[in-house]
PDB file of all heavy atoms in Angstrom:
ATOM      1  N   GLU A 296     238.177 100.646 199.007  1.00 90.00           N
ATOM      2  CA  GLU A 296     238.279 101.560 200.149  1.00 90.00           C
ATOM      3  C   GLU A 296     237.442 102.837 199.953  1.00 90.00           C
ATOM      4  O   GLU A 296     237.520 103.757 200.771  1.00 90.00           O
ATOM      5  CB  GLU A 296     239.745 101.944 200.389  1.00 90.00           C
ATOM      6  CG  GLU A 296     240.668 100.750 200.614  1.00 90.00           C
ATOM      7  CD  GLU A 296     240.244  99.921 201.806  1.00 90.00           C
ATOM      8  OE1 GLU A 296     239.884 100.516 202.843  1.00 90.00           O
ATOM      9  OE2 GLU A 296     240.267  98.676 201.698  1.00 90.00           O
ATOM     10  N   LEU A 297     236.687 102.866 198.899  1.00 92.00           N
ATOM     11  CA  LEU A 297     235.890 104.059 198.587  1.00 92.00           C
ATOM     12  C   LEU A 297     234.893 104.356 199.701  1.00 92.00           C
ATOM     13  O   LEU A 297     234.231 103.459 200.219  1.00 92.00           O
ATOM     14  CB  LEU A 297     235.135 103.838 197.273  1.00 92.00           C
ATOM     15  CG  LEU A 297     234.503 105.056 196.598  1.00 92.00           C
ATOM     16  CD1 LEU A 297     235.583 106.034 196.153  1.00 92.00           C
ATOM     17  CD2 LEU A 297     233.702 104.599 195.375  1.00 92.00           C
ATOM     18  N   THR A 298     234.803 105.618 200.082  1.00 93.00           N
ATOM     19  CA  THR A 298     233.874 106.024 201.140  1.00 93.00           C
ATOM     20  C   THR A 298     232.705 106.798 200.539  1.00 93.00           C
ATOM     21  O   THR A 298     232.798 107.342 199.440  1.00 93.00           O
ATOM     22  CB  THR A 298     234.567 106.899 202.190  1.00 93.00           C
ATOM     23  OG1 THR A 298     235.091 108.088 201.550  1.00 93.00           O
ATOM     24  CG2 THR A 298     235.712 106.138 202.858  1.00 93.00           C
ATOM     25  N   SER A 299     231.616 106.837 201.273  1.00 95.00           N
ATOM     26  CA  SER A 299     230.451 107.601 200.830  1.00 95.00           C
ATOM     27  C   SER A 299     230.115 108.672 201.852  1.00 95.00           C
ATOM     28  O   SER A 299     230.502 108.582 203.015  1.00 95.00           O
ATOM     29  CB  SER A 299     229.246 106.685 200.604  1.00 95.00           C
ATOM     30  OG  SER A 299     228.847 106.076 201.812  1.00 95.00           O
ATOM     31  N   ARG A 300     229.395 109.667 201.404  1.00 97.00           N
ATOM     32  CA  ARG A 300     228.981 110.775 202.277  1.00 97.00           C
ATOM     33  C   ARG A 300     227.473 110.930 202.195  1.00 97.00           C
ATOM     34  O   ARG A 300     226.894 110.888 201.097  1.00 97.00           O
ATOM     35  CB  ARG A 300     229.666 112.073 201.865  1.00 97.00           C
ATOM     36  CG  ARG A 300     229.339 113.261 202.759  1.00 97.00           C
ATOM     37  CD  ARG A 300     230.144 114.482 202.357  1.00 97.00           C
ATOM     38  NE  ARG A 300     229.734 115.670 203.103  1.00 97.00           N
ATOM     39  CZ  ARG A 300     230.209 116.892 202.900  1.00 97.00           C
ATOM     40  NH1 ARG A 300     231.144 117.080 201.961  1.00 97.00           N
ATOM     41  NH2 ARG A 300     229.774 117.919 203.606  1.00 97.00           N
ATOM     42  N   PHE A 301     226.852 111.101 203.342  1.00 98.00           N
ATOM     43  CA  PHE A 301     225.401 111.213 203.414  1.00 98.00           C
ATOM     44  C   PHE A 301     224.977 112.681 203.390  1.00 98.00           C
ATOM     45  O   PHE A 301     225.582 113.525 204.054  1.00 98.00           O
ATOM     46  CB  PHE A 301     224.893 110.558 204.699  1.00 98.00           C
ATOM     47  CG  PHE A 301     223.409 110.696 204.919  1.00 98.00           C
ATOM     48  CD1 PHE A 301     222.510 109.853 204.282  1.00 98.00           C
ATOM     49  CD2 PHE A 301     222.912 111.687 205.754  1.00 98.00           C
ATOM     50  CE1 PHE A 301     221.150 109.989 204.473  1.00 98.00           C
ATOM     51  CE2 PHE A 301     221.559 111.835 205.956  1.00 98.00           C
ATOM     52  CZ  PHE A 301     220.671 110.984 205.315  1.00 98.00           C
ATOM     53  N   PHE A 302     223.951 112.975 202.607  1.00 98.00           N
ATOM     54  CA  PHE A 302     223.332 114.305 202.576  1.00 98.00           C
ATOM     55  C   PHE A 302     221.840 114.121 202.826  1.00 98.00           C
ATOM     56  O   PHE A 302     221.185 113.323 202.159  1.00 98.00           O
ATOM     57  CB  PHE A 302     223.545 114.985 201.223  1.00 98.00           C
ATOM     58  CG  PHE A 302     224.960 115.415 200.950  1.00 98.00           C
ATOM     59  CD1 PHE A 302     225.868 114.526 200.385  1.00 98.00           C
ATOM     60  CD2 PHE A 302     225.386 116.688 201.259  1.00 98.00           C
ATOM     61  CE1 PHE A 302     227.177 114.904 200.129  1.00 98.00           C
ATOM     62  CE2 PHE A 302     226.687 117.094 201.003  1.00 98.00           C
ATOM     63  CZ  PHE A 302     227.590 116.194 200.448  1.00 98.00           C
ATOM     64  N   SER A 303     221.313 114.845 203.769  1.00 98.00           N
ATOM     65  CA  SER A 303     219.888 114.731 204.071  1.00 98.00           C
ATOM     66  C   SER A 303     219.069 115.560 203.091  1.00 98.00           C
ATOM     67  O   SER A 303     219.579 116.492 202.446  1.00 98.00           O
ATOM     68  CB  SER A 303     219.604 115.190 205.506  1.00 98.00           C
ATOM     69  OG  SER A 303     220.056 116.511 205.713  1.00 98.00           O
ATOM     70  N   ALA A 304     217.790 115.237 202.970  1.00 95.00           N
ATOM     71  CA  ALA A 304     216.894 115.949 202.057  1.00 95.00           C
ATOM     72  C   ALA A 304     216.910 117.441 202.349  1.00 95.00           C
ATOM     73  O   ALA A 304     216.815 117.868 203.503  1.00 95.00           O
ATOM     74  CB  ALA A 304     215.475 115.403 202.199  1.00 95.00           C
ATOM     75  N   GLY A 305     217.066 118.239 201.299  1.00 95.00           N
ATOM     76  CA  GLY A 305     217.100 119.688 201.429  1.00 95.00           C
ATOM     77  C   GLY A 305     218.495 120.267 201.581  1.00 95.00           C
ATOM     78  O   GLY A 305     218.681 121.487 201.463  1.00 95.00           O
ATOM     79  N   GLU A 306     219.477 119.417 201.799  1.00 97.00           N
ATOM     80  CA  GLU A 306     220.842 119.897 202.006  1.00 97.00           C
ATOM     81  C   GLU A 306     221.522 120.186 200.666  1.00 97.00           C
ATOM     82  O   GLU A 306     221.386 119.436 199.703  1.00 97.00           O
ATOM     83  CB  GLU A 306     221.643 118.854 202.783  1.00 97.00           C
ATOM     84  CG  GLU A 306     223.017 119.320 203.224  1.00 97.00           C
ATOM     85  CD  GLU A 306     223.720 118.316 204.121  1.00 97.00           C
ATOM     86  OE1 GLU A 306     223.103 117.267 204.440  1.00 97.00           O
ATOM     87  OE2 GLU A 306     224.876 118.569 204.489  1.00 97.00           O
ATOM     88  N   THR A 307     222.251 121.300 200.610  1.00 98.00           N
ATOM     89  CA  THR A 307     222.995 121.652 199.403  1.00 98.00           C
ATOM     90  C   THR A 307     224.305 120.877 199.360  1.00 98.00           C
ATOM     91  O   THR A 307     225.056 120.861 200.332  1.00 98.00           O
ATOM     92  CB  THR A 307     223.284 123.162 199.346  1.00 98.00           C
ATOM     93  OG1 THR A 307     222.039 123.876 199.308  1.00 98.00           O
ATOM     94  CG2 THR A 307     224.089 123.524 198.108  1.00 98.00           C
ATOM     95  N   ILE A 308     224.557 120.250 198.233  1.00 98.00           N
ATOM     96  CA  ILE A 308     225.763 119.439 198.057  1.00 98.00           C
ATOM     97  C   ILE A 308     226.888 120.282 197.468  1.00 98.00           C
ATOM     98  O   ILE A 308     228.018 120.265 197.952  1.00 98.00           O
ATOM     99  CB  ILE A 308     225.460 118.238 197.150  1.00 98.00           C
ATOM    100  CG1 ILE A 308     224.380 117.361 197.790  1.00 98.00           C
ATOM    101  CG2 ILE A 308     226.726 117.426 196.866  1.00 98.00           C
ATOM    102  CD1 ILE A 308     223.759 116.361 196.826  1.00 98.00           C
ATOM    103  N   LEU A 309     226.571 121.019 196.419  1.00 98.00           N
ATOM    104  CA  LEU A 309     227.531 121.911 195.772  1.00 98.00           C
ATOM    105  C   LEU A 309     226.844 123.220 195.423  1.00 98.00           C
ATOM    106  O   LEU A 309     225.668 123.238 195.058  1.00 98.00           O
ATOM    107  CB  LEU A 309     228.089 121.275 194.493  1.00 98.00           C
ATOM    108  CG  LEU A 309     228.993 120.042 194.642  1.00 98.00           C
ATOM    109  CD1 LEU A 309     229.200 119.377 193.280  1.00 98.00           C
ATOM    110  CD2 LEU A 309     230.325 120.411 195.267  1.00 98.00           C
ATOM    111  N   TYR A 310     227.602 124.298 195.505  1.00 97.00           N
ATOM    112  CA  TYR A 310     227.087 125.618 195.148  1.00 97.00           C
ATOM    113  C   TYR A 310     227.612 126.025 193.774  1.00 97.00           C
ATOM    114  O   TYR A 310     228.712 125.636 193.369  1.00 97.00           O
ATOM    115  CB  TYR A 310     227.518 126.659 196.174  1.00 97.00           C
ATOM    116  CG  TYR A 310     226.847 126.512 197.523  1.00 97.00           C
ATOM    117  CD1 TYR A 310     227.385 125.674 198.497  1.00 97.00           C
ATOM    118  CD2 TYR A 310     225.681 127.212 197.821  1.00 97.00           C
ATOM    119  CE1 TYR A 310     226.771 125.531 199.735  1.00 97.00           C
ATOM    120  CE2 TYR A 310     225.060 127.082 199.058  1.00 97.00           C
ATOM    121  CZ  TYR A 310     225.612 126.232 200.007  1.00 97.00           C
ATOM    122  OH  TYR A 310     224.997 126.093 201.230  1.00 97.00           O
ATOM    123  N   GLN A 311     226.818 126.812 193.080  1.00 95.00           N
ATOM    124  CA  GLN A 311     227.258 127.335 191.790  1.00 95.00           C
ATOM    125  C   GLN A 311     228.533 128.154 191.991  1.00 95.00           C
ATOM    126  O   GLN A 311     228.615 128.989 192.879  1.00 95.00           O
ATOM    127  CB  GLN A 311     226.152 128.213 191.199  1.00 95.00           C
ATOM    128  CG  GLN A 311     226.415 128.670 189.770  1.00 95.00           C
ATOM    129  CD  GLN A 311     225.246 129.479 189.229  1.00 95.00           C
ATOM    130  OE1 GLN A 311     224.738 130.377 189.891  1.00 95.00           O
ATOM    131  NE2 GLN A 311     224.821 129.155 188.026  1.00 95.00           N
ATOM    132  N   GLY A 312     229.537 127.905 191.156  1.00 95.00           N
ATOM    133  CA  GLY A 312     230.797 128.636 191.264  1.00 95.00           C
ATOM    134  C   GLY A 312     231.779 128.041 192.249  1.00 95.00           C
ATOM    135  O   GLY A 312     232.913 128.524 192.373  1.00 95.00           O
ATOM    136  N   GLU A 313     231.382 126.984 192.937  1.00 96.00           N
ATOM    137  CA  GLU A 313     232.254 126.356 193.923  1.00 96.00           C
ATOM    138  C   GLU A 313     233.316 125.497 193.238  1.00 96.00           C
ATOM    139  O   GLU A 313     233.068 124.875 192.205  1.00 96.00           O
ATOM    140  CB  GLU A 313     231.416 125.480 194.859  1.00 96.00           C
ATOM    141  CG  GLU A 313     232.217 124.737 195.908  1.00 96.00           C
ATOM    142  CD  GLU A 313     231.346 123.868 196.807  1.00 96.00           C
ATOM    143  OE1 GLU A 313     230.104 124.005 196.754  1.00 96.00           O
ATOM    144  OE2 GLU A 313     231.914 123.048 197.556  1.00 96.00           O
ATOM    145  N   LEU A 314     234.517 125.464 193.834  1.00 96.00           N
ATOM    146  CA  LEU A 314     235.563 124.565 193.371  1.00 96.00           C
ATOM    147  C   LEU A 314     235.505 123.313 194.234  1.00 96.00           C
ATOM    148  O   LEU A 314     235.886 123.333 195.404  1.00 96.00           O
ATOM    149  CB  LEU A 314     236.942 125.219 193.497  1.00 96.00           C
ATOM    150  CG  LEU A 314     238.144 124.348 193.078  1.00 96.00           C
ATOM    151  CD1 LEU A 314     238.031 123.951 191.611  1.00 96.00           C
ATOM    152  CD2 LEU A 314     239.455 125.079 193.340  1.00 96.00           C
ATOM    153  N   PRO A 315     234.986 122.213 193.705  1.00 96.00           N
ATOM    154  CA  PRO A 315     234.824 121.003 194.524  1.00 96.00           C
ATOM    155  C   PRO A 315     236.157 120.465 195.032  1.00 96.00           C
ATOM    156  O   PRO A 315     237.184 120.567 194.360  1.00 96.00           O
ATOM    157  CB  PRO A 315     234.173 120.008 193.553  1.00 96.00           C
ATOM    158  CG  PRO A 315     233.553 120.855 192.492  1.00 96.00           C
ATOM    159  CD  PRO A 315     234.477 122.027 192.340  1.00 96.00           C
ATOM    160  N   ARG A 316     236.141 119.904 196.211  1.00 94.00           N
ATOM    161  CA  ARG A 316     237.341 119.281 196.779  1.00 94.00           C
ATOM    162  C   ARG A 316     237.484 117.841 196.310  1.00 94.00           C
ATOM    163  O   ARG A 316     238.564 117.261 196.393  1.00 94.00           O
ATOM    164  CB  ARG A 316     237.279 119.326 198.309  1.00 94.00           C
ATOM    165  CG  ARG A 316     237.383 120.738 198.884  1.00 94.00           C
ATOM    166  CD  ARG A 316     237.281 120.714 200.392  1.00 94.00           C
ATOM    167  NE  ARG A 316     235.954 120.257 200.832  1.00 94.00           N
ATOM    168  CZ  ARG A 316     235.615 120.093 202.100  1.00 94.00           C
ATOM    169  NH1 ARG A 316     236.492 120.314 203.064  1.00 94.00           N
ATOM    170  NH2 ARG A 316     234.386 119.684 202.414  1.00 94.00           N
ATOM    171  N   THR A 317     236.389 117.270 195.827  1.00 96.00           N
ATOM    172  CA  THR A 317     236.384 115.879 195.383  1.00 96.00           C
ATOM    173  C   THR A 317     235.290 115.685 194.352  1.00 96.00           C
ATOM    174  O   THR A 317     234.408 116.532 194.200  1.00 96.00           O
ATOM    175  CB  THR A 317     236.144 114.934 196.584  1.00 96.00           C
ATOM    176  OG1 THR A 317     236.277 113.580 196.166  1.00 96.00           O
ATOM    177  CG2 THR A 317     234.753 115.136 197.170  1.00 96.00           C
ATOM    178  N   ALA A 318     235.356 114.587 193.634  1.00 96.00           N
ATOM    179  CA  ALA A 318     234.278 114.243 192.706  1.00 96.00           C
ATOM    180  C   ALA A 318     233.237 113.420 193.451  1.00 96.00           C
ATOM    181  O   ALA A 318     233.563 112.689 194.392  1.00 96.00           O
ATOM    182  CB  ALA A 318     234.825 113.450 191.526  1.00 96.00           C
ATOM    183  N   TYR A 319     231.990 113.559 193.035  1.00 97.00           N
ATOM    184  CA  TYR A 319     230.895 112.808 193.641  1.00 97.00           C
ATOM    185  C   TYR A 319     230.216 111.943 192.576  1.00 97.00           C
ATOM    186  O   TYR A 319     229.942 112.412 191.470  1.00 97.00           O
ATOM    187  CB  TYR A 319     229.839 113.740 194.222  1.00 97.00           C
ATOM    188  CG  TYR A 319     230.239 114.465 195.478  1.00 97.00           C
ATOM    189  CD1 TYR A 319     230.322 115.857 195.497  1.00 97.00           C
ATOM    190  CD2 TYR A 319     230.501 113.776 196.657  1.00 97.00           C
ATOM    191  CE1 TYR A 319     230.665 116.537 196.664  1.00 97.00           C
ATOM    192  CE2 TYR A 319     230.854 114.443 197.818  1.00 97.00           C
ATOM    193  CZ  TYR A 319     230.932 115.824 197.816  1.00 97.00           C
ATOM    194  OH  TYR A 319     231.281 116.489 198.975  1.00 97.00           O
ATOM    195  N   VAL A 320     229.936 110.704 192.952  1.00 96.00           N
ATOM    196  CA  VAL A 320     229.130 109.810 192.127  1.00 96.00           C
ATOM    197  C   VAL A 320     227.942 109.381 192.973  1.00 96.00           C
ATOM    198  O   VAL A 320     228.116 108.954 194.118  1.00 96.00           O
ATOM    199  CB  VAL A 320     229.930 108.570 191.667  1.00 96.00           C
ATOM    200  CG1 VAL A 320     229.025 107.628 190.876  1.00 96.00           C
ATOM    201  CG2 VAL A 320     231.125 108.992 190.830  1.00 96.00           C
ATOM    202  N   VAL A 321     226.737 109.507 192.417  1.00 95.00           N
ATOM    203  CA  VAL A 321     225.528 109.220 193.189  1.00 95.00           C
ATOM    204  C   VAL A 321     225.411 107.717 193.437  1.00 95.00           C
ATOM    205  O   VAL A 321     225.336 106.928 192.492  1.00 95.00           O
ATOM    206  CB  VAL A 321     224.268 109.737 192.464  1.00 95.00           C
ATOM    207  CG1 VAL A 321     223.029 109.470 193.321  1.00 95.00           C
ATOM    208  CG2 VAL A 321     224.394 111.218 192.145  1.00 95.00           C
ATOM    209  N   LYS A 322     225.397 107.345 194.705  1.00 95.00           N
ATOM    210  CA  LYS A 322     225.165 105.961 195.098  1.00 95.00           C
ATOM    211  C   LYS A 322     223.672 105.689 195.197  1.00 95.00           C
ATOM    212  O   LYS A 322     223.169 104.691 194.688  1.00 95.00           O
ATOM    213  CB  LYS A 322     225.851 105.671 196.432  1.00 95.00           C
ATOM    214  CG  LYS A 322     225.646 104.255 196.969  1.00 95.00           C
ATOM    215  CD  LYS A 322     226.316 104.094 198.330  1.00 95.00           C
ATOM    216  CE  LYS A 322     226.070 102.707 198.913  1.00 95.00           C
ATOM    217  NZ  LYS A 322     226.663 102.578 200.274  1.00 95.00           N
ATOM    218  N   SER A 323     222.952 106.584 195.849  1.00 94.00           N
ATOM    219  CA  SER A 323     221.498 106.463 195.967  1.00 94.00           C
ATOM    220  C   SER A 323     220.909 107.833 196.261  1.00 94.00           C
ATOM    221  O   SER A 323     221.597 108.736 196.743  1.00 94.00           O
ATOM    222  CB  SER A 323     221.118 105.483 197.096  1.00 94.00           C
ATOM    223  OG  SER A 323     221.567 105.969 198.346  1.00 94.00           O
ATOM    224  N   GLY A 324     219.626 107.972 195.968  1.00 93.00           N
ATOM    225  CA  GLY A 324     218.948 109.240 196.235  1.00 93.00           C
ATOM    226  C   GLY A 324     218.685 110.036 194.968  1.00 93.00           C
ATOM    227  O   GLY A 324     219.005 109.609 193.858  1.00 93.00           O
ATOM    228  N   LEU A 325     218.121 111.209 195.142  1.00 93.00           N
ATOM    229  CA  LEU A 325     217.734 112.087 194.037  1.00 93.00           C
ATOM    230  C   LEU A 325     218.230 113.496 194.303  1.00 93.00           C
ATOM    231  O   LEU A 325     218.065 114.022 195.402  1.00 93.00           O
ATOM    232  CB  LEU A 325     216.208 112.086 193.881  1.00 93.00           C
ATOM    233  CG  LEU A 325     215.609 112.997 192.812  1.00 93.00           C
ATOM    234  CD1 LEU A 325     216.061 112.538 191.423  1.00 93.00           C
ATOM    235  CD2 LEU A 325     214.088 112.994 192.900  1.00 93.00           C
ATOM    236  N   ILE A 326     218.828 114.106 193.296  1.00 95.00           N
ATOM    237  CA  ILE A 326     219.449 115.414 193.435  1.00 95.00           C
ATOM    238  C   ILE A 326     218.874 116.382 192.411  1.00 95.00           C
ATOM    239  O   ILE A 326     218.718 116.037 191.228  1.00 95.00           O
ATOM    240  CB  ILE A 326     220.976 115.298 193.270  1.00 95.00           C
ATOM    241  CG1 ILE A 326     221.550 114.474 194.432  1.00 95.00           C
ATOM    242  CG2 ILE A 326     221.638 116.658 193.218  1.00 95.00           C
ATOM    243  CD1 ILE A 326     222.858 113.840 194.140  1.00 95.00           C
ATOM    244  N   LYS A 327     218.579 117.567 192.859  1.00 95.00           N
ATOM    245  CA  LYS A 327     218.089 118.627 191.971  1.00 95.00           C
ATOM    246  C   LYS A 327     219.263 119.488 191.525  1.00 95.00           C
ATOM    247  O   LYS A 327     220.074 119.919 192.335  1.00 95.00           O
ATOM    248  CB  LYS A 327     217.051 119.485 192.718  1.00 95.00           C
ATOM    249  CG  LYS A 327     216.509 120.651 191.910  1.00 95.00           C
ATOM    250  CD  LYS A 327     215.373 121.356 192.648  1.00 95.00           C
ATOM    251  CE  LYS A 327     215.837 122.021 193.930  1.00 95.00           C
ATOM    252  NZ  LYS A 327     214.764 122.802 194.583  1.00 95.00           N
ATOM    253  N   ILE A 328     219.349 119.710 190.220  1.00 96.00           N
ATOM    254  CA  ILE A 328     220.389 120.543 189.644  1.00 96.00           C
ATOM    255  C   ILE A 328     219.714 121.804 189.100  1.00 96.00           C
ATOM    256  O   ILE A 328     218.818 121.704 188.256  1.00 96.00           O
ATOM    257  CB  ILE A 328     221.123 119.796 188.509  1.00 96.00           C
ATOM    258  CG1 ILE A 328     221.657 118.449 189.035  1.00 96.00           C
ATOM    259  CG2 ILE A 328     222.260 120.634 187.944  1.00 96.00           C
ATOM    260  CD1 ILE A 328     222.134 117.523 187.937  1.00 96.00           C
ATOM    261  N   TYR A 329     220.113 122.959 189.588  1.00 95.00           N
ATOM    262  CA  TYR A 329     219.383 124.172 189.211  1.00 95.00           C
ATOM    263  C   TYR A 329     220.276 125.403 189.199  1.00 95.00           C
ATOM    264  O   TYR A 329     221.413 125.390 189.695  1.00 95.00           O
ATOM    265  CB  TYR A 329     218.213 124.387 190.178  1.00 95.00           C
ATOM    266  CG  TYR A 329     218.606 124.739 191.601  1.00 95.00           C
ATOM    267  CD1 TYR A 329     218.610 126.053 192.036  1.00 95.00           C
ATOM    268  CD2 TYR A 329     218.961 123.757 192.518  1.00 95.00           C
ATOM    269  CE1 TYR A 329     218.969 126.387 193.344  1.00 95.00           C
ATOM    270  CE2 TYR A 329     219.314 124.061 193.821  1.00 95.00           C
ATOM    271  CZ  TYR A 329     219.317 125.387 194.228  1.00 95.00           C
ATOM    272  OH  TYR A 329     219.673 125.709 195.515  1.00 95.00           O
ATOM    273  N   SER A 330     219.746 126.457 188.621  1.00 94.00           N
ATOM    274  CA  SER A 330     220.397 127.765 188.631  1.00 94.00           C
ATOM    275  C   SER A 330     219.415 128.775 189.203  1.00 94.00           C
ATOM    276  O   SER A 330     218.224 128.477 189.384  1.00 94.00           O
ATOM    277  CB  SER A 330     220.820 128.180 187.211  1.00 94.00           C
ATOM    278  OG  SER A 330     219.668 128.313 186.381  1.00 94.00           O
ATOM    279  N   ILE A 331     219.890 129.962 189.496  1.00 91.00           N
ATOM    280  CA  ILE A 331     219.041 131.042 189.992  1.00 91.00           C
ATOM    281  C   ILE A 331     219.190 132.235 189.050  1.00 91.00           C
ATOM    282  O   ILE A 331     220.306 132.683 188.779  1.00 91.00           O
ATOM    283  CB  ILE A 331     219.409 131.434 191.437  1.00 91.00           C
ATOM    284  CG1 ILE A 331     219.188 130.243 192.370  1.00 91.00           C
ATOM    285  CG2 ILE A 331     218.594 132.642 191.895  1.00 91.00           C
ATOM    286  CD1 ILE A 331     219.593 130.510 193.812  1.00 91.00           C
ATOM    287  N   SER A 332     218.072 132.724 188.540  1.00 85.00           N
ATOM    288  CA  SER A 332     218.099 133.829 187.586  1.00 85.00           C
ATOM    289  C   SER A 332     218.439 135.136 188.284  1.00 85.00           C
ATOM    290  O   SER A 332     218.479 135.218 189.520  1.00 85.00           O
ATOM    291  CB  SER A 332     216.739 133.953 186.891  1.00 85.00           C
ATOM    292  OG  SER A 332     215.764 134.460 187.801  1.00 85.00           O
ATOM    293  N   VAL A 333     218.671 136.182 187.484  1.00 85.00           N
ATOM    294  CA  VAL A 333     218.986 137.500 188.044  1.00 85.00           C
ATOM    295  C   VAL A 333     217.815 138.041 188.855  1.00 85.00           C
ATOM    296  O   VAL A 333     217.989 138.919 189.702  1.00 85.00           O
ATOM    297  CB  VAL A 333     219.365 138.492 186.918  1.00 85.00           C
ATOM    298  CG1 VAL A 333     220.670 138.082 186.272  1.00 85.00           C
ATOM    299  CG2 VAL A 333     218.252 138.590 185.872  1.00 85.00           C
TER     300      VAL A 333
END
């Protein structure tokens, strides 16, 4: 019964410091993981 969620290119999935409501496992696609300096 597992569901998936679609994110379009350029869309932010999670923000730094955010408390996620659920866990995400990548089904397909490519995700950039980054930080922002001072």
Side-chain angles (χ1 to χ4, degrees):
E296 303 301 318
L297 194 65
T298 60
S299 64
R300 183 175 174 184
F301 176 81
F302 290 87
S303 57
E306 188 174 357
T307 298
I308 299 165
L309 292 168
Y310 290 87
Q311 188 177 47
E313 178 181 349
L314 178 61
R316 292 179 295 177
T317 186
Y319 288 117
V320 177
V321 182
K322 178 183 177 183
S323 63
L325 177 65
I326 294 157
K327 178 173 65 175
I328 305 168
Y329 68 98
S330 63
I331 298 177
S332 72
V333 293

